[in-house]
Amino acid sequence: MANLRIASMVGARPNFMKIAPIVHEIQRTPGIEHRLVHSGQHYDQQMSESFFEELHIPKPDVNLEVGSGSHAWQTAEVMKRFETVVLEWKPDVVIVVGDVNSTLAAALVAAKLGAQVAHVEAGLRSFDMSMPEEINRKLTDAISDLLFVTEQSGIQNLRNEGVASERVFLVGNVMIDCLVEHRKLAAKSEILRRIGLQKDGSSARGYGLLTLHRPSNVDDPEVLRDILSTIAQVSEKMPVFFPVHPRSLERIRQFGLGSYLAEEKSGAAAGGIVPLPPLGYLDFLCLMDHARLILTDSGGIQEESTILGVPCLTLRENTERPVTVEQGTNQIVGRDPKKILAAAARVLESERRPVRAPELWDGHAAQRIVRILLEKYRPELLRNATRESPHRS
Ligand code: UD1
């Protein structure tokens, strides 16, 4: 019986924590040959390599080294280079995760060459086609054979788009698998001490944590200035740490908005918006876990804060992850300064709510995914495994 050949594509920072649990589960499963392909969309130590080291992701078998560029260029370059890999290695299945340009590029190549495409984190919709990620999600889902979904809204979205239900599976959230696995280790991070906080994250006033990188928030000078000036007001109540994404740093410099930021080395003592370099996974998880308040335009952080039980204000007009609002601690506040300030004030006055984990966000999503892949494409392997080890569920 032939092994199941799976190629997985990763490209940008939010892909790495999603692929880690899947790769580890594949490594534990006999009968699967796996190749990990890195598109090189994110390429530097802070945005890519540190995640491979901390999350014990094996070194990619292939690095396409595309780097940065316009969307068309980046997507096309990943496609050209990934096509060679698929033609040479002939995977049965290509796994793509999330919604970045590398996700769509790999899915398109695989679908055209007749490989099965499995999309992890399928079905999420912001219904905002000005977001490049929304275009990537819709197109990737349209050509995927298996759609692995994190929350009920995704099931409903795919149903509304006419996707056959046999292709759709609610499996939970691999990003939460990664969080569950690393939370204890993250608690040992030295980051709190490095930025001038007590080991348990406490300071007289607590602290906020800001991330910002969406083109709609950082590419327009007025919009970015308004956001920074609003967060600066929040930071009068407590320091707000801001690990700055390279795209945002470039814009802050270009638009001359550096005066909204405190000195990086000033740490918690000075207050204000304290910039930090992009952080590794464990440091960032530790900072999130102890924060009083998170302000973000990221997708993944809305999910992580839900499980950590930390109040999250999402600086966007919509979310593709509604369960984080319905069950989690997330509020969609957009960019209206009044709304942001009122929501932040309410959070600071109230007690932390108990965590309500969405359905199947239990740390076992990757197991479900790999099992479904075997059931679909190599059911005989599962039968053999059950015969050899009757206790394996
Ligand atoms: C990409 C994803 C977005 C994801 C985000 C997380 C798409 C369409 N967008 O956006 O969904 O939330 O990653 O980070 O795929 N840069 C570096 N070092 C790196 C990588 C990038 O300095 O390792 C710089 C680039 O030179 C460029 C900027 O960051 O100026 C943007 O990188 P890019 O990958 O094009 O898009 P992101 O904005 O990061």
Side-chain angles (χ1 to χ4, degrees):
M1 175 195 350
N3 285 338
L4 180 63
R5 289 186 153 208
I6 300 180
S8 306
M9 166 64 83
V10 287
R13 185 169 62 178
N15 291 165
F16 306 136
M17 48 293 244
K18 293 173 193 165
I19 211 65
I22 298 175
V23 172
H24 296 150
E25 186 59 24
I26 287 176
Q27 286 173 331
R28 284 192 283 270
T29 309
I32 302 181
E33 271 176 71
H34 182 243
R35 289 225 171 142
L36 181 62
V37 182
H38 191 325
S39 71
Q41 178 174 345
H42 285 180
Y43 43 84
D44 57 34
Q45 169 69 26
Q46 289 170 322
M47 298 294 285
S48 173
E49 272 175 48
S50 80
F51 291 84
F52 279 76
E53 289 157 16
E54 289 189 333
L55 303 179
H56 301 288
I57 308 171
K59 214 170 137 33
D61 298 286
V62 185
N63 192 325
L64 305 177
E65 295 181 342
V66 292
S68 301
S70 72
H71 285 254
W73 185 90
Q74 201 173 50
T75 310
E77 232 20 66
V78 177
M79 286 185 71
K80 275 156 58 185
R81 300 179 197 193
F82 186 55
E83 184 176 54
T84 316
V85 177
V86 176
L87 282 172
E88 275 173 12
W89 196 58
K90 300 193 175 37
D92 301 301
V93 185
V94 171
I95 298 180
V96 296
V97 296
D99 54 18
V100 303
N101 289 339
S102 307
T103 309
L104 172 61
L108 266 171
V109 168
K112 290 213 171 178
L113 291 176
Q116 296 288 299
V117 182
H119 184 204
V120 175
E121 206 184 85
L124 298 181
R125 298 288 182 269
S126 65
F127 303 100
D128 174 0
M129 287 296 274
S130 70
M131 287 176 76
E133 294 83 1
E134 181 74 355
I135 300 172
N136 292 342
R137 286 181 205 121
K138 288 186 77 164
L139 296 180
T140 302
D141 284 346
I143 54 172
S144 292
D145 299 282
L146 298 181
L147 297 110
F148 293 121
V149 180
T150 51
E151 60 169 86
Q152 283 295 345
S153 74
I155 303 278
Q156 191 56 48
N157 293 333
L158 293 171
R159 195 174 294 152
N160 295 346
E161 289 171 21
V163 178
S165 61
E166 305 84 71
R167 289 162 53 202
V168 180
F169 301 86
L170 184 71
V171 291
N173 192 327
V174 285
M175 193 169 226
I176 301 306
D177 289 10
C178 195
L179 183 152
V180 168
E181 194 184 334
H182 291 91
R183 194 172 181 184
K184 274 203 188 117
L185 199 57
K188 297 186 181 146
S189 154
E190 286 291 306
I191 183 74
L192 299 170
R193 196 185 46 76
R194 282 208 312 270
I195 60 178
L197 295 166
Q198 310 285 328
K199 185 67 194 151
D200 63 355
S202 66
S203 71
R205 300 166 294 171
Y207 65 90
L209 181 60
L210 168 69
T211 82
L212 215 53
H213 78 277
R214 296 255 158 241
S216 55
N217 278 343
V218 303
D219 285 358
D220 179 316
E222 307 276 295
V223 170
L224 183 55
R225 196 198 52 222
D226 285 355
I227 293 178
L228 289 176
S229 117
T230 308
I231 309 295
Q233 292 179 59
V234 175
S235 77
E236 286 165 13
K237 305 234 163 35
M238 59 183 180
V240 174
F241 292 99
F242 179 25
V244 192
H245 187 285
R247 163 193 277 279
S248 313
L249 187 64
E250 214 175 284
R251 299 293 182 267
I252 289 170
R253 286 195 180 131
Q254 186 186 341
F255 304 150
L257 299 173
S259 58
Y260 284 105
L261 307 184
E263 282 283 312
E264 184 173 328
K265 42 185 183 313
S266 62
I273 306 177
V274 187
L276 300 172
L279 298 175
Y281 183 77
L282 297 173
D283 285 347
F284 190 71
L285 179 51
C286 179
L287 261 191
M288 277 197 291
D289 210 357
H290 289 100
R292 184 84 186 81
L293 168 68
I294 293 176
L295 302 125
T296 190
D297 61 6
S298 147
I301 293 172
Q302 297 173 49
E303 298 181 338
E304 291 166 330
S305 57
T306 289
I307 292 298
L308 297 173
V310 178
C312 175
L313 304 184
T314 294
L315 306 169
R316 287 170 43 189
E317 303 301 331
N318 51 54
T319 181
E320 59 287 326
R321 293 159 160 95
V323 78
T324 61
V325 177
E326 291 148 14
Q327 293 188 33
T329 47
N330 188 20
Q331 290 180 63
I332 308 300
V333 292
R335 297 190 302 235
D336 176 356
K338 274 199 211 115
K339 259 189 169 172
I340 299 172
L341 292 171
R346 271 197 307 276
V347 166
L348 295 186
E349 282 157 16
S350 47
E351 293 289 308
R352 246 162 107 147
R353 286 223 319 254
V355 174
R356 285 192 299 164
E359 190 181 354
L360 301 180
W361 289 22
D362 57 1
H364 300 294
Q367 262 169 277
R368 295 186 188 103
I369 288 170
V370 172
R371 190 171 175 98
I372 292 167
L373 290 173
L374 287 178
E375 277 167 5
K376 285 275 161 196
Y377 303 122
R378 289 292 184 283
E380 23 346 323
L381 281 173
L382 277 180
R383 281 198 291 274
N384 289 350
T386 321
R387 225 172 287 136
E388 280 159 26
S389 154
H391 299 299
R392 199 160 181 253
S393 65

